[in-house]
Amino acid sequence: MTASAAARTTGLAHTATDSPAASIIATSFAPSPIATVPAMGLFSLAWLLIAIPLAGAALLLVLGRFSDSWGHWLATACCLASFVIGVLLFSSMLGADEGQRAVTVYLYDWISTGSWNLSFGMLIDQLSILFVLLITGVGSLIHIYSIGYMAHDERRRRFFAYLNLFIAAMLTLVLADSYLVLFLGWEGVGLASYLLISFWQHKPSAAAAGRKAFVVNRVGDLGMAMAIFTMLSLFGSTAFSEVNAGIPRADVATATLLGFLLLLAACGKSAQVPLQSWLLDAMEGPTPVSALIHAATMVTAGVYLVVRSHAIYEISEAATLAVAIVGVVTLLAGAWIGTAKDDIKKVLAGSTMSQIGYMMLAAGLGPVGAAFAIFHLITHGFFKANMFLGAGSVMHGMNDDVNMRNFGALARAMRWTFLTFAMGYLAIIGFPFTAGYYSKDHIIEAAFERNIVLGVLALIGAGITAYYMTRLMMMTFLGRSRWEEDVHPHESPAVMTVPLVILAIASLGAGLVMNNWIQGWLAPATGSHPHETGLLAFSWIGAVTLVVVALGVALGWWLHSGLIPKRAPRTRNPLVLIGRNDLYGDAINTYAVIWPVSGIATALSLADQGVVDGLVRGSGYGARGLAGLLRKAQNGYSRTYGLTLVIGVVILGAIVVFGRLV
C-alpha cells in the first residue's frame, strides 16, 4: 500500500460502521496516478481482444456473399474468443498482487512531433477488465441470440459484421491508455451504431433514426475533442497517467472546464439530458442492436468516461455537482417517458435513460459513487439485455408487433420468455436479493448522504420505475389476451431462449456475488475506500425505498389489471401528453437549436453572397471598367500619343508655375 493510500485508510478507519457512502462523500481525496506494470505473458497478447472481432468484421465485409452461409458463425466465434481471452486476463489479475493488477500494453508510437510523443497503447486495470467481460460476455450472448432472430434476413452476414465492428470499437474505447486512443474507439462506436441502427434502411424511420443518432452524438463528440486539445495544451499528453499526474497542479477553473467538456461528451453517448433525443428513435434498429448498444455497451461509455476521469472531477466540485444534477434529471425524465409509452421497446429505452441517469448520479457523488456506478452498470447490463432480448422474443412470436395494447396473457403462450423477463423485472425494480436491489439501493443511500434533494429525487425515480415496469408486465404477459385473429403467439427457438436464461440467472445473482467485492476491486482505479455492506439494507433509507417500490408496484397493478383498451385513450392530462411526446425533446431541439442555427447560417450565407461576394465582384467590375477606359487611349495612332504627351507637359508646367506664384 502506498503512503497516500495508507493515509486515506487511516483517515477513514473510524467510519467503518457508518453508511457505505457517508464517510467517503464527505472526504476530499487527492488524485494519485495508478501504478502500472509493463505487459508480460498473456497480457502482451491483449491486443487480440480487439484484433479478433475487427478481423472478423473485415473478413465478412470483404468476402461478401461468399460468407453468407457461415458468416454469422464466424462473427459469433470471434466475439466468444475475445470473451475467453478476457476471462483468462481477469483470472490472472485475480491471482496477482494488488500492485500488479494494472498493466500497460505498449503497441506503437502513433504521433511523434516536436515535444509530443503520443503512443498507441492499452490499459488493463480493475476498471477496464470489468468492461471487457461485460462487453464480450453480453455481446456473445447477443450474437448467439441474433443467429435465430436474424435467420431470415437476407443481409444477415452484413449485420454480424457490424456487430463485430461495434465490439472491436467498444473494446478499443475501454482498453485505451489515453484520451486520444479512447476517442478513436469513441468515434468507431459512433460509426458502428449508425450502421446498426439504420440497418433496415429501406424503412425511412430507421434511416432517419441512424442519422439522428449520428448527428446528436457529434455534438457530444465536440466536447471530447475540445477536452483533448486542452489536455495537449496543458500537459503535452493525453495519457491517463500524465493527465492524472498533472491535474493536481492545475487550477480549479481548468479542472472545471475539462470536467464540463467531458460531461458534454458523456451526455451524447449515454443519452443524458439534453442530448437524449436520439435514444428512443434508435429503437428502429433490430432488437439485438437495442440490447447491445442501448443496454450493455454504448450508452455506458459516458459513465466509463466520467469514472475514468475521476481525478479531474475530484478537483472541481462544480463539475462533479453538474454530473450529479444531469444524472438525477435524466433518471426522472426517462422514467416519465417509460410511464406513457405503449411500444415495448420504447418503454425499455426510457428505462435505459433512467438507469444510466442513476449511474451518472452515482458518478457525481464522489469516490464511493464511482464504484456504485460501475456496480449498477454491470447489473443493468445483465437485466436490461435480458429484457430487450425478451422483447425481441415477444416480437418474434407476435409477428413483429411492438404495441403492448395488442399483447396480454403471453405468459401462457411464451413461458420461457415470461419467466426470464420476470427475473429482469424483479431486478430493475430492486426486489430484495436481486441484482438491482444491491446496486441501485446503494446509489440511493449515497445520494441521501450527499444531498437530501438528490436522495429524494432518486427515491421518487425508484417508485416510478416500479410503476411503469409493472405496467409493462401487466400489459404484455398478464391479463386478458388482445391478439389479432391472425396472430398465433409461440415460444422462440432455443438459440434465442438459452441466452435469456443465462441473462436471467445473472439478473438474479450478480448483485449478491459482487456486493462486497466490487468496491475493493475498483478502489485502486477509482480512488475510493471500500466499505462492507450487508445482505439486507437495514437502514431507514433502505426500508423507505422498499416501501416506495411496493407502492409503485401496487399502483401499476391496480391501474392495469382490468381491461386494456386497444387504442390509447385520448387525454388532456399534460403529464401523459408530455411523456407520449418524449418530453418534447425534438421540439425543444428544433426551436432552441436547429432554427436559431439555421437562421444564423442563412444570415451568414446572405452576408457572404451580398457583402463579401459583392465586394469581390464589385472590385472586378470596377477594374474591368477602368481597363475599358484606359484601353480606349491605346488606339495605335502616333498623333494621339504625341497630343497626350503635349497635354501632359502643359499640365505639369502649369502646376509648377502656379505653385511658384502662390
Side-chain angles (χ1 to χ4, degrees):
M1 181 180 293
T2 64
S4 60
R8 292 196 297 269
T9 303
T10 302
L12 294 171
H14 66 283
T15 63
T17 58
D18 297 340
S19 165
S23 56
I24 296 185
I25 291 174
T27 305
S28 174
F29 287 82
S32 58
I34 301 173
T36 61
V37 297
M40 298 179 63
L42 181 62
F43 286 91
S44 61
L45 300 176
W47 55 272
L48 290 173
L49 282 167
I50 302 170
I52 292 175
L54 185 61
L59 281 174
L60 294 182
L61 293 174
V62 170
L63 295 177
R65 295 184 178 275
F66 175 74
S67 60
D68 280 349
S69 60
W70 48 267
H72 51 287
W73 296 109
L74 174 64
T76 304
C78 288
C79 194
L80 283 169
S82 291
F83 175 66
V84 171
I85 296 173
V87 171
L88 293 175
L89 292 175
F90 178 64
S91 300
S92 299
M93 294 174 68
L94 283 176
D97 295 334
E98 183 174 313
Q100 304 293 314
R101 288 175 176 168
V103 181
T104 55
V105 184
Y106 169 80
L107 297 179
Y108 60 89
D109 288 332
W110 189 5
I111 302 174
S112 183
T113 177
S115 60
W116 288 354
N117 186 18
L118 307 179
S119 63
F120 192 109
M122 302 167 62
L123 172 62
I124 306 174
D125 66 352
Q126 294 90 335
L127 177 60
S128 61
I129 194 64
L130 294 183
F131 274 84
V132 167
L133 295 176
L134 179 66
I135 294 166
T136 58
V138 176
S140 296
L141 294 175
I142 292 172
H143 274 71
I144 296 170
Y145 178 94
S146 300
I147 294 173
Y149 190 87
M150 302 294 290
H152 304 293
D153 195 291
E154 296 180 353
R155 301 169 65 241
R156 179 171 63 170
R157 178 259 314 162
R158 188 179 295 270
F159 176 80
F160 276 88
Y162 295 159
L163 285 183
N164 266 198
L165 177 63
F166 182 89
I167 294 293
M170 194 66 200
L171 288 172
T172 302
L173 191 159
V174 300
L175 288 171
D177 69 342
S178 69
Y179 287 97
L180 186 59
V181 179
L182 186 151
F183 191 53
L184 179 66
W186 193 271
E187 293 300 296
V189 167
L191 171 62
S193 65
Y194 165 76
L195 296 172
L196 288 168
I197 293 170
S198 60
F199 182 76
W200 287 328
Q201 68 262 27
H202 60 276
K203 298 166 54 180
S205 57
R211 290 194 301 270
K212 185 177 183 179
F214 192 84
V215 171
V216 173
N217 273 271
R218 298 293 75 74
V219 177
D221 295 350
L222 178 63
M224 175 69 84
M226 294 175 66
I228 289 174
F229 295 148
T230 305
M231 292 173 187
L232 287 172
S233 175
L234 292 174
F235 313 119
S237 173
T238 64
F240 297 141
S241 58
E242 297 293 332
V243 174
N244 290 349
I247 196 65
R249 299 190 296 271
D251 54 48
V252 176
T254 299
T256 301
L257 173 63
L258 287 173
F260 274 94
L261 291 174
L262 294 174
L263 177 59
L264 177 62
C267 286
K269 274 291 186 287
S270 293
Q272 300 292 282
V273 174
L275 300 179
Q276 83 288 354
S277 62
W278 66 270
L279 185 65
L280 272 76
D281 289 356
M283 296 301 107
E284 291 291 340
T287 300
V289 174
S290 302
L292 180 66
I293 295 180
H294 310 119
T297 52
M298 177 177 168
V299 291
T300 64
V303 181
Y304 172 82
L305 177 65
V306 173
V307 173
R308 177 62 78 185
S309 307
H310 68 92
I312 296 173
Y313 288 99
E314 288 170 12
I315 301 298
S316 173
E317 179 66 24
T320 303
L321 181 61
V323 173
I325 292 173
V326 166
V328 78
V329 170
T330 305
L331 76 87
L332 292 174
W336 190 348
I337 292 172
T339 63
K341 292 294 185 181
D342 294 329
D343 185 321
I344 187 172
K345 291 178 65 177
K346 290 191 175 182
V347 173
L348 295 176
S351 172
T352 295
M353 276 181 57
S354 183
Q355 298 306 306
I356 300 296
Y358 274 105
M359 302 171 205
M360 294 295 288
L361 168 63
L365 296 178
V368 72
F372 293 152
I374 302 303
F375 188 11
H376 193 55
L377 186 151
I378 295 173
T379 59
H380 174 263
F382 293 140
F383 61 71
K384 186 55 63 66
N386 173 32
M387 287 190 286
F388 264 118
L389 296 183
S393 182
V394 170
M395 294 169 59
H396 181 270
M398 296 292 292
N399 296 349
D400 289 331
D401 193 358
V402 295
N403 190 349
M404 295 188 297
R405 295 188 178 276
N406 297 330
F407 297 162
L410 291 181
R412 298 192 300 269
M414 308 177 69
R415 295 184 181 276
W416 282 105
T417 300
F418 166 67
L419 290 173
T420 54
F421 200 102
M423 301 302 103
Y425 161 75
L426 293 176
I428 195 172
I429 68 171
F431 190 83
F433 305 113
T434 61
Y437 168 77
Y438 293 105
S439 58
K440 189 167 67 175
D441 280 26
H442 289 334
I443 296 174
I444 295 174
E445 287 199 26
F448 268 103
E449 296 292 346
R450 172 66 182 268
N451 186 294
I452 191 169
V453 175
L454 295 177
V456 170
L457 294 176
L459 183 62
I460 293 172
I464 300 174
T465 300
Y467 164 73
Y468 72 74
M469 289 305 304
T470 302
R471 172 179 178 267
L472 184 151
M473 292 293 293
M474 297 297 299
M475 294 180 67
T476 303
F477 296 104
L478 304 176
R480 299 181 181 179
S481 63
R482 301 178 299 277
W483 317 326
E484 300 294 338
E485 293 182 358
D486 60 339
V487 175
H488 304 284
H490 57 277
E491 188 59 89
S492 300
V495 72
M496 295 173 64
T497 55
V498 169
L500 293 179
V501 172
I502 296 173
L503 289 169
I505 294 172
S507 301
L508 291 179
L512 183 62
V513 172
M514 294 188 294
N515 185 41
N516 281 320
W517 170 82
I518 194 167
Q519 293 183 70
W521 176 259
L522 289 174
T526 59
S528 63
H529 181 71
H531 284 253
E532 287 193 11
T533 55
L535 297 180
L536 273 174
F538 288 110
S539 66
W540 70 268
I541 299 173
V544 171
T545 301
L546 288 177
V547 171
V548 170
V549 168
L551 290 174
V553 172
L555 182 63
W557 184 280
W558 179 57
L559 292 179
H560 299 93
S561 60
L563 293 176
I564 305 294
K566 294 277 290 184
R567 295 178 179 267
R570 293 185 177 181
T571 181
R572 295 183 179 179
N573 187 331
L575 297 178
V576 177
L577 292 175
I578 294 173
R580 288 178 178 176
N581 289 278
D582 305 339
L583 310 186
Y584 295 105
D586 288 336
I588 293 173
N589 288 338
T590 298
Y591 293 122
V593 180
I594 296 177
W595 282 11
V597 172
S598 298
I600 294 172
T602 302
L604 292 174
S605 177
L606 293 174
D608 180 63
Q609 296 176 11
V611 179
V612 179
D613 290 353
L615 290 174
V616 173
R617 287 194 295 267
S619 61
Y621 293 147
R624 188 172 62 180
L626 180 61
L629 293 174
L630 295 175
R631 185 179 61 186
K632 293 180 179 180
Q634 306 297 320
N635 55 16
Y637 294 106
S638 57
R639 61 180 180 271
T640 303
Y641 300 150
L643 179 61
T644 303
L645 180 62
V646 171
I647 293 173
V649 171
V650 171
I651 293 173
L652 181 62
I655 293 172
V656 173
V657 172
F658 181 77
R660 289 181 177 182
L661 290 176
V662 174

mmCIF file of all heavy atoms in Angstrom, residues 555-588:
data_model
loop_
_atom_site.group_PDB
_atom_site.id
_atom_site.type_symbol
_atom_site.label_atom_id
_atom_site.label_comp_id
_atom_site.label_asym_id
_atom_site.label_seq_id
_atom_site.Cartn_x
_atom_site.Cartn_y
_atom_site.Cartn_z
ATOM 1 N N LEU A 555 -49.605 0.381 -7.507
ATOM 2 C CA LEU A 555 -50.286 1.318 -8.387
ATOM 3 C C LEU A 555 -50.348 0.781 -9.819
ATOM 4 O O LEU A 555 -51.384 0.874 -10.488
ATOM 5 C CB LEU A 555 -49.582 2.672 -8.357
ATOM 6 C CG LEU A 555 -50.205 3.785 -9.204
ATOM 7 C CD1 LEU A 555 -51.613 4.112 -8.705
ATOM 8 C CD2 LEU A 555 -49.319 5.038 -9.190
ATOM 9 N N GLY A 556 -49.235 0.218 -10.300
ATOM 10 C CA GLY A 556 -49.220 -0.359 -11.632
ATOM 11 C C GLY A 556 -50.191 -1.511 -11.773
ATOM 12 O O GLY A 556 -50.878 -1.648 -12.799
ATOM 13 N N TRP A 557 -50.265 -2.361 -10.750
ATOM 14 C CA TRP A 557 -51.195 -3.490 -10.754
ATOM 15 C C TRP A 557 -52.638 -3.004 -10.741
ATOM 16 O O TRP A 557 -53.482 -3.500 -11.494
ATOM 17 C CB TRP A 557 -50.909 -4.379 -9.555
ATOM 18 C CG TRP A 557 -51.754 -5.625 -9.510
ATOM 19 C CD1 TRP A 557 -53.044 -5.736 -9.086
ATOM 20 C CD2 TRP A 557 -51.351 -6.927 -9.918
ATOM 21 N NE1 TRP A 557 -53.471 -7.037 -9.212
ATOM 22 C CE2 TRP A 557 -52.454 -7.788 -9.717
ATOM 23 C CE3 TRP A 557 -50.165 -7.463 -10.418
ATOM 24 C CZ2 TRP A 557 -52.392 -9.150 -10.007
ATOM 25 C CZ3 TRP A 557 -50.104 -8.812 -10.707
ATOM 26 C CH2 TRP A 557 -51.220 -9.644 -10.499
ATOM 27 N N TRP A 558 -52.936 -2.028 -9.904
ATOM 28 C CA TRP A 558 -54.305 -1.534 -9.761
ATOM 29 C C TRP A 558 -54.825 -0.873 -11.034
ATOM 30 O O TRP A 558 -55.950 -1.099 -11.452
ATOM 31 C CB TRP A 558 -54.351 -0.558 -8.589
ATOM 32 C CG TRP A 558 -55.719 0.038 -8.367
ATOM 33 C CD1 TRP A 558 -56.893 -0.626 -8.139
ATOM 34 C CD2 TRP A 558 -56.035 1.434 -8.355
ATOM 35 N NE1 TRP A 558 -57.923 0.275 -7.991
ATOM 36 C CE2 TRP A 558 -57.428 1.543 -8.117
ATOM 37 C CE3 TRP A 558 -55.269 2.592 -8.492
ATOM 38 C CZ2 TRP A 558 -58.069 2.782 -8.044
ATOM 39 C CZ3 TRP A 558 -55.909 3.820 -8.416
ATOM 40 C CH2 TRP A 558 -57.287 3.892 -8.203
ATOM 41 N N LEU A 559 -53.990 -0.070 -11.679
ATOM 42 C CA LEU A 559 -54.431 0.682 -12.850
ATOM 43 C C LEU A 559 -54.499 -0.165 -14.113
ATOM 44 O O LEU A 559 -55.203 0.204 -15.064
ATOM 45 C CB LEU A 559 -53.494 1.868 -13.085
ATOM 46 C CG LEU A 559 -53.529 2.997 -12.042
ATOM 47 C CD1 LEU A 559 -52.530 4.074 -12.395
ATOM 48 C CD2 LEU A 559 -54.925 3.585 -11.928
ATOM 49 N N HIS A 560 -53.800 -1.309 -14.157
ATOM 50 C CA HIS A 560 -53.721 -2.058 -15.407
ATOM 51 C C HIS A 560 -54.113 -3.525 -15.256
ATOM 52 O O HIS A 560 -53.785 -4.349 -16.111
ATOM 53 C CB HIS A 560 -52.296 -1.959 -15.972
ATOM 54 C CG HIS A 560 -51.889 -0.556 -16.275
ATOM 55 N ND1 HIS A 560 -51.221 0.223 -15.359
ATOM 56 C CD2 HIS A 560 -52.076 0.214 -17.362
ATOM 57 C CE1 HIS A 560 -50.995 1.426 -15.879
ATOM 58 N NE2 HIS A 560 -51.499 1.448 -17.092
ATOM 59 N N SER A 561 -54.804 -3.853 -14.200
ATOM 60 C CA SER A 561 -55.271 -5.230 -14.015
ATOM 61 C C SER A 561 -56.618 -5.486 -14.676
ATOM 62 O O SER A 561 -57.035 -6.633 -14.805
ATOM 63 C CB SER A 561 -55.363 -5.561 -12.517
ATOM 64 O OG SER A 561 -56.263 -4.683 -11.860
ATOM 65 N N GLY A 562 -57.298 -4.445 -15.084
ATOM 66 C CA GLY A 562 -58.584 -4.606 -15.743
ATOM 67 C C GLY A 562 -58.445 -4.676 -17.252
ATOM 68 O O GLY A 562 -57.413 -5.101 -17.794
ATOM 69 N N LEU A 563 -59.488 -4.274 -17.941
ATOM 70 C CA LEU A 563 -59.483 -4.273 -19.394
ATOM 71 C C LEU A 563 -58.553 -3.186 -19.920
ATOM 72 O O LEU A 563 -58.591 -2.034 -19.473
ATOM 73 C CB LEU A 563 -60.898 -4.055 -19.938
ATOM 74 C CG LEU A 563 -61.913 -5.174 -19.670
ATOM 75 C CD1 LEU A 563 -63.288 -4.776 -20.183
ATOM 76 C CD2 LEU A 563 -61.459 -6.477 -20.316
ATOM 77 N N ILE A 564 -57.723 -3.565 -20.881
ATOM 78 C CA ILE A 564 -56.798 -2.636 -21.520
ATOM 79 C C ILE A 564 -57.364 -2.282 -22.884
ATOM 80 O O ILE A 564 -57.547 -3.166 -23.737
ATOM 81 C CB ILE A 564 -55.392 -3.243 -21.674
ATOM 82 C CG1 ILE A 564 -54.857 -3.722 -20.319
ATOM 83 C CG2 ILE A 564 -54.455 -2.236 -22.313
ATOM 84 C CD1 ILE A 564 -54.601 -2.645 -19.332
ATOM 85 N N PRO A 565 -57.690 -1.014 -23.145
ATOM 86 C CA PRO A 565 -58.239 -0.650 -24.460
ATOM 87 C C PRO A 565 -57.213 -0.869 -25.570
ATOM 88 O O PRO A 565 -56.008 -0.725 -25.358
ATOM 89 C CB PRO A 565 -58.591 0.832 -24.303
ATOM 90 C CG PRO A 565 -57.758 1.315 -23.163
ATOM 91 C CD PRO A 565 -57.578 0.146 -22.245
ATOM 92 N N LYS A 566 -57.721 -1.209 -26.767
ATOM 93 C CA LYS A 566 -56.844 -1.475 -27.903
ATOM 94 C C LYS A 566 -56.173 -0.202 -28.413
ATOM 95 O O LYS A 566 -55.129 -0.262 -29.033
ATOM 96 C CB LYS A 566 -57.643 -2.119 -29.036
ATOM 97 C CG LYS A 566 -58.174 -3.507 -28.708
ATOM 98 C CD LYS A 566 -57.148 -4.574 -28.931
ATOM 99 C CE LYS A 566 -56.857 -4.795 -30.381
ATOM 100 N NZ LYS A 566 -55.907 -5.925 -30.609
ATOM 101 N N ARG A 567 -56.799 0.913 -28.172
ATOM 102 C CA ARG A 567 -56.236 2.197 -28.552
ATOM 103 C C ARG A 567 -55.946 3.030 -27.310
ATOM 104 O O ARG A 567 -56.689 2.967 -26.332
ATOM 105 C CB ARG A 567 -57.193 2.959 -29.482
ATOM 106 C CG ARG A 567 -57.418 2.290 -30.841
ATOM 107 C CD ARG A 567 -58.404 3.087 -31.672
ATOM 108 N NE ARG A 567 -58.620 2.502 -32.981
ATOM 109 C CZ ARG A 567 -57.962 2.824 -34.058
ATOM 110 N NH1 ARG A 567 -57.063 3.765 -33.969
ATOM 111 N NH2 ARG A 567 -58.206 2.239 -35.218
ATOM 112 N N ALA A 568 -54.872 3.783 -27.370
ATOM 113 C CA ALA A 568 -54.534 4.644 -26.248
ATOM 114 C C ALA A 568 -55.635 5.686 -26.054
ATOM 115 O O ALA A 568 -56.004 6.386 -27.003
ATOM 116 C CB ALA A 568 -53.197 5.334 -26.492
ATOM 117 N N PRO A 569 -56.195 5.783 -24.866
ATOM 118 C CA PRO A 569 -57.270 6.754 -24.635
ATOM 119 C C PRO A 569 -56.797 8.189 -24.866
ATOM 120 O O PRO A 569 -55.660 8.536 -24.543
ATOM 121 C CB PRO A 569 -57.639 6.523 -23.165
ATOM 122 C CG PRO A 569 -57.045 5.210 -22.797
ATOM 123 C CD PRO A 569 -55.858 5.001 -23.669
ATOM 124 N N ARG A 570 -57.696 8.987 -25.442
ATOM 125 C CA ARG A 570 -57.381 10.398 -25.580
ATOM 126 C C ARG A 570 -57.368 11.054 -24.203
ATOM 127 O O ARG A 570 -58.158 10.710 -23.328
ATOM 128 C CB ARG A 570 -58.413 11.090 -26.477
ATOM 129 C CG ARG A 570 -58.370 10.637 -27.937
ATOM 130 C CD ARG A 570 -59.322 11.452 -28.780
ATOM 131 N NE ARG A 570 -59.253 11.087 -30.184
ATOM 132 C CZ ARG A 570 -59.980 11.670 -31.141
ATOM 133 N NH1 ARG A 570 -60.837 12.651 -30.804
ATOM 134 N NH2 ARG A 570 -59.851 11.269 -32.397
ATOM 135 N N THR A 571 -56.493 11.974 -24.034
ATOM 136 C CA THR A 571 -56.354 12.619 -22.739
ATOM 137 C C THR A 571 -55.869 14.046 -22.911
ATOM 138 O O THR A 571 -55.217 14.378 -23.907
ATOM 139 C CB THR A 571 -55.362 11.845 -21.841
ATOM 140 O OG1 THR A 571 -55.258 12.499 -20.567
ATOM 141 C CG2 THR A 571 -53.979 11.810 -22.500
ATOM 142 N N ARG A 572 -56.225 14.867 -21.934
ATOM 143 C CA ARG A 572 -55.715 16.222 -21.864
ATOM 144 C C ARG A 572 -54.742 16.391 -20.705
ATOM 145 O O ARG A 572 -54.297 17.512 -20.426
ATOM 146 C CB ARG A 572 -56.875 17.217 -21.717
ATOM 147 C CG ARG A 572 -57.804 17.274 -22.932
ATOM 148 C CD ARG A 572 -58.875 18.327 -22.748
ATOM 149 N NE ARG A 572 -59.746 18.403 -23.919
ATOM 150 C CZ ARG A 572 -60.789 19.240 -24.003
ATOM 151 N NH1 ARG A 572 -61.083 20.056 -22.990
ATOM 152 N NH2 ARG A 572 -61.521 19.252 -25.096
ATOM 153 N N ASN A 573 -54.441 15.281 -20.058
ATOM 154 C CA ASN A 573 -53.502 15.311 -18.947
ATOM 155 C C ASN A 573 -52.122 15.726 -19.477
ATOM 156 O O ASN A 573 -51.518 15.012 -20.276
ATOM 157 C CB ASN A 573 -53.422 13.930 -18.296
ATOM 158 C CG ASN A 573 -52.587 13.935 -17.030
ATOM 159 O OD1 ASN A 573 -51.660 14.728 -16.859
ATOM 160 N ND2 ASN A 573 -52.905 13.018 -16.124
ATOM 161 N N PRO A 574 -51.620 16.867 -19.048
ATOM 162 C CA PRO A 574 -50.332 17.332 -19.602
ATOM 163 C C PRO A 574 -49.177 16.394 -19.307
ATOM 164 O O PRO A 574 -48.254 16.271 -20.117
ATOM 165 C CB PRO A 574 -50.140 18.700 -18.940
ATOM 166 C CG PRO A 574 -50.983 18.655 -17.703
ATOM 167 C CD PRO A 574 -52.162 17.802 -18.049
ATOM 168 N N LEU A 575 -49.211 15.717 -18.153
ATOM 169 C CA LEU A 575 -48.131 14.797 -17.820
ATOM 170 C C LEU A 575 -48.075 13.637 -18.807
ATOM 171 O O LEU A 575 -46.999 13.229 -19.258
ATOM 172 C CB LEU A 575 -48.303 14.275 -16.397
ATOM 173 C CG LEU A 575 -48.227 15.321 -15.274
ATOM 174 C CD1 LEU A 575 -48.475 14.663 -13.928
ATOM 175 C CD2 LEU A 575 -46.877 16.020 -15.292
ATOM 176 N N VAL A 576 -49.252 13.095 -19.163
ATOM 177 C CA VAL A 576 -49.312 11.994 -20.126
ATOM 178 C C VAL A 576 -48.904 12.471 -21.510
ATOM 179 O O VAL A 576 -48.138 11.804 -22.219
ATOM 180 C CB VAL A 576 -50.724 11.378 -20.158
ATOM 181 C CG1 VAL A 576 -50.794 10.273 -21.214
ATOM 182 C CG2 VAL A 576 -51.084 10.812 -18.787
ATOM 183 N N LEU A 577 -49.407 13.618 -21.931
ATOM 184 C CA LEU A 577 -49.093 14.138 -23.257
ATOM 185 C C LEU A 577 -47.604 14.423 -23.408
ATOM 186 O O LEU A 577 -47.011 14.120 -24.440
ATOM 187 C CB LEU A 577 -49.901 15.410 -23.523
ATOM 188 C CG LEU A 577 -51.421 15.238 -23.672
ATOM 189 C CD1 LEU A 577 -52.103 16.597 -23.796
ATOM 190 C CD2 LEU A 577 -51.747 14.372 -24.876
ATOM 191 N N ILE A 578 -47.010 14.996 -22.385
ATOM 192 C CA ILE A 578 -45.574 15.282 -22.437
ATOM 193 C C ILE A 578 -44.773 13.987 -22.528
ATOM 194 O O ILE A 578 -43.804 13.889 -23.281
ATOM 195 C CB ILE A 578 -45.151 16.112 -21.211
ATOM 196 C CG1 ILE A 578 -45.795 17.501 -21.268
ATOM 197 C CG2 ILE A 578 -43.633 16.246 -21.145
ATOM 198 C CD1 ILE A 578 -45.575 18.326 -20.018
ATOM 199 N N GLY A 579 -45.178 12.970 -21.757
ATOM 200 C CA GLY A 579 -44.490 11.682 -21.814
ATOM 201 C C GLY A 579 -44.631 11.007 -23.156
ATOM 202 O O GLY A 579 -43.670 10.449 -23.694
ATOM 203 N N ARG A 580 -45.832 11.033 -23.730
ATOM 204 C CA ARG A 580 -46.053 10.418 -25.036
ATOM 205 C C ARG A 580 -45.218 11.091 -26.125
ATOM 206 O O ARG A 580 -44.833 10.440 -27.104
ATOM 207 C CB ARG A 580 -47.528 10.487 -25.411
ATOM 208 C CG ARG A 580 -48.429 9.549 -24.604
ATOM 209 C CD ARG A 580 -49.880 9.702 -25.007
ATOM 210 N NE ARG A 580 -50.756 8.787 -24.278
ATOM 211 C CZ ARG A 580 -52.083 8.757 -24.386
ATOM 212 N NH1 ARG A 580 -52.690 9.629 -25.228
ATOM 213 N NH2 ARG A 580 -52.798 7.898 -23.681
ATOM 214 N N ASN A 581 -44.934 12.372 -25.968
ATOM 215 C CA ASN A 581 -44.155 13.114 -26.951
ATOM 216 C C ASN A 581 -42.683 13.247 -26.561
ATOM 217 O O ASN A 581 -42.004 14.190 -26.998
ATOM 218 C CB ASN A 581 -44.774 14.497 -27.169
ATOM 219 C CG ASN A 581 -46.090 14.445 -27.904
ATOM 220 O OD1 ASN A 581 -46.133 14.367 -29.130
ATOM 221 N ND2 ASN A 581 -47.193 14.469 -27.160
ATOM 222 N N ASP A 582 -42.200 12.293 -25.774
ATOM 223 C CA ASP A 582 -40.783 12.233 -25.399
ATOM 224 C C ASP A 582 -40.293 13.518 -24.750
ATOM 225 O O ASP A 582 -39.173 13.984 -24.994
ATOM 226 C CB ASP A 582 -39.914 11.906 -26.615
ATOM 227 C CG ASP A 582 -40.330 10.638 -27.326
ATOM 228 O OD1 ASP A 582 -41.009 9.804 -26.687
ATOM 229 O OD2 ASP A 582 -40.004 10.480 -28.514
ATOM 230 N N LEU A 583 -41.141 14.120 -23.919
ATOM 231 C CA LEU A 583 -40.830 15.374 -23.230
ATOM 232 C C LEU A 583 -40.571 16.508 -24.210
ATOM 233 O O LEU A 583 -39.932 17.503 -23.863
ATOM 234 C CB LEU A 583 -39.630 15.208 -22.289
ATOM 235 C CG LEU A 583 -39.666 14.035 -21.314
ATOM 236 C CD1 LEU A 583 -38.483 14.106 -20.369
ATOM 237 C CD2 LEU A 583 -40.963 13.973 -20.551
ATOM 238 N N TYR A 584 -41.090 16.355 -25.434
ATOM 239 C CA TYR A 584 -40.928 17.345 -26.491
ATOM 240 C C TYR A 584 -39.462 17.676 -26.746
ATOM 241 O O TYR A 584 -39.096 18.810 -27.067
ATOM 242 C CB TYR A 584 -41.714 18.628 -26.162
ATOM 243 C CG TYR A 584 -43.214 18.426 -26.130
ATOM 244 C CD1 TYR A 584 -43.897 18.380 -24.922
ATOM 245 C CD2 TYR A 584 -43.926 18.253 -27.307
ATOM 246 C CE1 TYR A 584 -45.275 18.193 -24.887
ATOM 247 C CE2 TYR A 584 -45.307 18.049 -27.272
ATOM 248 C CZ TYR A 584 -45.967 18.010 -26.069
ATOM 249 O OH TYR A 584 -47.332 17.822 -26.046
ATOM 250 N N GLY A 585 -38.626 16.631 -26.626
ATOM 251 C CA GLY A 585 -37.199 16.828 -26.851
ATOM 252 C C GLY A 585 -36.882 17.295 -28.259
ATOM 253 O O GLY A 585 -36.060 18.192 -28.469
ATOM 254 N N ASP A 586 -37.568 16.697 -29.257
ATOM 255 C CA ASP A 586 -37.335 17.101 -30.639
ATOM 256 C C ASP A 586 -37.782 18.542 -30.877
ATOM 257 O O ASP A 586 -37.107 19.308 -31.580
ATOM 258 C CB ASP A 586 -38.063 16.157 -31.598
ATOM 259 C CG ASP A 586 -37.417 14.787 -31.661
ATOM 260 O OD1 ASP A 586 -36.217 14.679 -31.352
ATOM 261 O OD2 ASP A 586 -38.113 13.807 -32.010
ATOM 262 N N ALA A 587 -38.942 18.902 -30.310
ATOM 263 C CA ALA A 587 -39.439 20.269 -30.484
ATOM 264 C C ALA A 587 -38.495 21.284 -29.842
ATOM 265 O O ALA A 587 -38.210 22.343 -30.417
ATOM 266 C CB ALA A 587 -40.838 20.391 -29.888
ATOM 267 N N ILE A 588 -38.011 20.963 -28.653
ATOM 268 C CA ILE A 588 -37.073 21.861 -27.975
ATOM 269 C C ILE A 588 -35.796 22.019 -28.795
ATOM 270 O O ILE A 588 -35.284 23.128 -28.965
ATOM 271 C CB ILE A 588 -36.763 21.335 -26.564
ATOM 272 C CG1 ILE A 588 -38.017 21.414 -25.686
ATOM 273 C CG2 ILE A 588 -35.626 22.127 -25.930
ATOM 274 C CD1 ILE A 588 -37.858 20.762 -24.336
#
